[in-house]
């Protein structure tokens, strides 16, 4: 019943709130280890969430874990989805890339529990499509919202967040990510979603431009 009503009982990533306004938060996230799968949604009949079961199989959320231990790995939240755009320089996360013939790929990520400090600490996937990697400390502008994260809603939230960040002097870099904290069977009014937009300081941006 708790999951249906949106109760979040799993581990979530550690972060520090640097700034909080009525429109967004600026958060600094600690380094973490994640499992990711990049795919063409057409493999799953156009379903952008089609990669969920590939990652769920890796951690053993359903059936036996598909890793070399084999070891069940606790589910965490949120599940991260990245679509559109290409990787940028600096320390931006790996975002969705252009596929063959300009196809847009989707990258879905499961954040692994904090006990895995390095990528080599995590069990190795038996499915070669699953990649384990480390992500360093990151700073994001974040807006939280409920309901179903449809493409239209996400687009509106992203645009408003970018405008608010830039208005307040924050430098937006790279593509946004969609973070969803609840399973699909959670009732829409009780769902927790976030748009997270990578941000850098003006000095960081200047240093990167000088290096390029």
């Amino acid at each position: 019943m708790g999951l249906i009503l949106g109760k979040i009982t799993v581990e979530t990533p550690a972060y520090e709130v640097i700034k909080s306004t009525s429109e967004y938060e600026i958060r600094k996230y600690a380094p973490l280890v994640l499992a990711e799968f990049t795919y063409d949604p057409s493999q799953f009949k156009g379903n952008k969430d089609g990669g969920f079961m590939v990652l769920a199989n890796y951690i053993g959320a359903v059936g036996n874990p598909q890793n070399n231990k084999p070891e069940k790995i606790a589910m965490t939240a949120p599940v991260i989805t990245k679509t559109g755009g290409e990787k940028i320089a600096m320390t931006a996360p790996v975002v969705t890339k252009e596929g063959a013939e300009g196809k847009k790929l989707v990258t879905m990520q499961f954040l692994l529990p904090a006990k895995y400090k390095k990528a080599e600490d995590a069990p190795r996937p038996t499915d070669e499509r699953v990649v384990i990697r480390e992500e360093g400390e990151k700073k994001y502008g974040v807006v939280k919202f409920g309901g179903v994260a449809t493409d239209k809603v996400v687009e509106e939230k992203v645009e408003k967040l970018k405008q608010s960040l830039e208005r307040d002097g924050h430098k937006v870099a790279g593509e946004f990510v969609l973070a969803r904290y609840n399973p699909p069977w959670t009732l829409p009014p009780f769902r927790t979603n976030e748009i997270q937009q990578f941000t850098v300081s003006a000095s960081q941006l200047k240093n990167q431009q000088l290096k390029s």
Side-chain angles (χ1 to χ4, degrees):
M1 181 62 73
L3 292 177
I4 293 176
L5 296 179
K7 186 175 183 181
I8 301 169
T9 58
V10 297
E11 181 180 331
T12 57
Y15 64 83
E16 172 189 352
V17 177
I18 297 175
K19 178 180 179 180
S20 181
T21 76
S22 60
E23 297 174 296
Y24 62 85
E25 286 185 341
I26 300 292
R27 300 177 186 170
K28 183 169 69 174
Y29 282 85
L32 50 78
V33 177
L34 53 85
E36 71 178 19
F37 171 45
T38 298
Y39 56 96
D40 179 350
S42 65
Q43 294 176 255
F44 303 97
K45 299 181 179 179
N47 180 9
K48 291 183 179 180
D49 293 333
F52 183 90
M53 288 308 300
V54 173
L55 295 174
N57 287 335
Y58 161 67
I59 68 172
V62 287
N64 295 322
Q66 293 185 8
N67 60 62
N68 67 325
K69 295 291 185 178
E71 175 183 318
K72 270 193 176 291
I73 302 171
M75 189 74 190
T76 65
V79 172
I80 301 293
T81 307
K82 303 178 181 183
T83 58
E86 294 192 8
K87 183 171 69 172
I88 64 169
M90 299 189 302
T91 56
V94 177
V95 301
T96 301
K97 303 172 285 296
E98 289 274 351
E101 301 178 356
K103 290 181 180 178
K104 292 291 185 180
L105 304 180
V106 171
T107 296
M108 181 169 285
Q109 299 174 334
F110 280 12
L111 311 182
L112 299 188
K115 70 176 185 178
Y116 301 111
K117 304 299 183 185
K118 299 288 184 181
E120 56 265 29
D121 296 339
R124 189 172 66 253
T126 55
D127 186 335
E128 294 182 354
R129 298 174 298 174
V130 177
V131 176
I132 307 301
R133 68 179 185 84
E134 299 170 25
E135 192 163 89
E137 183 180 275
K138 293 287 188 296
K139 189 169 72 171
Y140 289 102
V142 180
V143 62
K144 183 180 294 186
F145 63 101
V148 179
T150 63
D151 289 346
K152 185 175 187 299
V153 169
V154 168
E155 183 180 348
E156 291 171 351
K157 297 292 183 182
V158 169
E159 186 59 30
K160 185 175 180 180
L161 176 60
K162 285 183 177 180
Q163 290 177 359
S164 297
L165 290 170
E166 291 173 347
R167 177 201 64 207
D168 293 346
H170 301 288
K171 301 298 180 180
V172 172
E175 297 297 318
F176 72 91
V177 302
L178 170 62
R180 288 172 289 181
Y181 286 79
N182 310 103
W185 52 85
T186 299
L187 296 173
F190 300 104
R191 295 183 187 182
T192 299
N193 312 297
E194 290 177 345
I195 297 299
Q196 302 178 353
Q197 175 65 60
F198 185 63
T199 63
V200 295
S201 66
S203 60
Q204 282 179 305
L205 192 60
K206 183 178 180 181
N207 288 339
Q208 179 59 30
Q209 290 171 339
L210 291 174
K211 289 178 183 178
S212 35

